[in-house]
Amino acid sequence: MDTNIVGVGVGITDRFRSVVEEKVGRIEHLAPRATVLEVKVTHRSYRNGRMEDDTVELTLDGKGPVVRAEATDADKFAALDLAVDKISEQVRRAKEKRVDARNHPRGARFEKGTGELSGIDVEPASVDVLRAVATGEVPIQSSAEDEQDYSPVVIRQKEFDAEWMTAEDAVDRMELVGHDFFLFIDARTDHPSVVYRRKGWDYGVIALGTQAPPAAQVAS
């Protein structure tokens, strides 16, 4: 496993590198599929008289999820020990979860040898019941009315009174209500039309060829 050590505000000594290499063996034993261990040491100084400290961040990368851990202490070697303990515990827990998932899989399981279905609260129909359904002894209940009314697409309908206005007024109304389009009757042509917003500040108008009845007739 490759090890990369970076220091921020602090120099990385040979002694620290040797200690990191000793810790790597422990992590490799728990995560043999890991390929890279990133070690970042950050030294912080405070103006309010607070004691300086070092934060060690560990990032374990490779085949599988990325694992991270960090710890802070006045001594970077102590922070390293704490961070290694944390990341080792995370890797250990993840490994135990994978083993438990293999030994106790969740969901439905079908045993080819016995034909049993387990892991799901459903009892399969017996051969006699399946034969009775297939031969018509047990009729299949279905509602033709429900099937006719069913639609996978939900269509919501709204109805508004027709309004005559210019395309310019329709654009102003559309911006006022905050919609991307607005339906109206073009006062110049009496054609049902819709204005819509295009990219930028451009607008478009779509009109039907059929004229709408006059406004006085609609009002009556």
Side-chain angles (χ1 to χ4, degrees):
M1 180 170 59
D2 296 333
T3 304
N4 300 324
I5 307 176
V6 177
V8 179
V10 61
I12 304 301
T13 63
D14 293 338
R15 178 168 173 261
F16 187 83
R17 292 182 183 275
S18 63
V19 174
V20 170
E21 292 298 330
E22 293 176 3
K23 305 294 183 181
V24 167
R26 174 183 171 188
I27 299 175
E28 279 184 321
H29 178 72
L30 295 172
R33 301 177 63 186
T35 57
V36 179
L37 175 64
E38 302 284 349
V39 182
K40 181 180 179 182
V41 184
T42 304
H43 179 78
R44 293 185 178 89
S45 301
Y46 304 94
R47 297 181 180 179
N48 57 2
R50 178 180 170 183
M51 184 180 296
E52 300 178 356
D53 58 35
D54 293 308
T55 299
V56 176
E57 302 174 57
L58 302 179
T59 303
L60 194 61
D61 198 359
K63 296 181 179 179
V66 177
V67 183
R68 293 186 175 89
E70 70 174 57
T72 301
D73 194 273
D75 179 58
K76 60 176 175 291
F77 290 95
L80 174 63
D81 288 337
L82 293 173
V84 170
D85 289 341
K86 289 182 179 180
I87 202 168
S88 299
E89 183 63 21
Q90 292 184 38
V91 172
R92 185 181 296 107
R93 289 181 180 179
K95 186 176 181 180
E96 291 176 353
K97 287 183 179 180
R98 290 194 298 269
V99 173
D100 182 69
R102 288 195 299 266
N103 295 335
H104 304 88
R106 298 180 180 179
R109 301 183 300 279
F110 177 74
E111 299 293 340
K112 295 182 179 179
T114 61
E116 295 182 355
L117 184 65
S118 60
I120 186 172
D121 190 18
V122 173
E123 182 179 352
S126 64
V127 176
D128 294 336
V129 173
L130 295 176
R131 184 180 296 110
V133 174
T135 57
E137 296 179 15
V138 178
I140 301 175
Q141 300 294 330
S142 62
S143 176
E145 181 179 355
D146 294 341
E147 294 180 359
Q148 183 177 1
D149 296 339
Y150 171 75
S151 174
V153 180
V154 178
I155 301 177
R156 298 181 180 178
Q157 298 182 352
K158 289 185 179 180
E159 184 175 339
F160 300 92
D161 294 334
E163 292 189 65
W164 270 255
M165 63 183 68
T166 64
E168 292 78 7
D169 292 337
V171 169
D172 293 339
R173 186 75 65 84
M174 178 184 67
E175 293 294 348
L176 180 65
V177 297
H179 291 173
D180 294 326
F181 66 92
F182 187 81
L183 183 63
F184 68 105
I185 305 297
D186 195 322
R188 299 187 181 95
T189 63
D190 286 336
H191 289 172
S193 308
V194 59
V195 293
Y196 61 95
R197 184 182 293 108
R198 303 178 65 186
K199 292 183 179 180
W201 291 97
D202 292 338
Y203 301 93
V205 180
I206 299 177
L208 297 179
T210 302
Q211 288 186 335
Q217 182 177 345
V218 173
S220 62

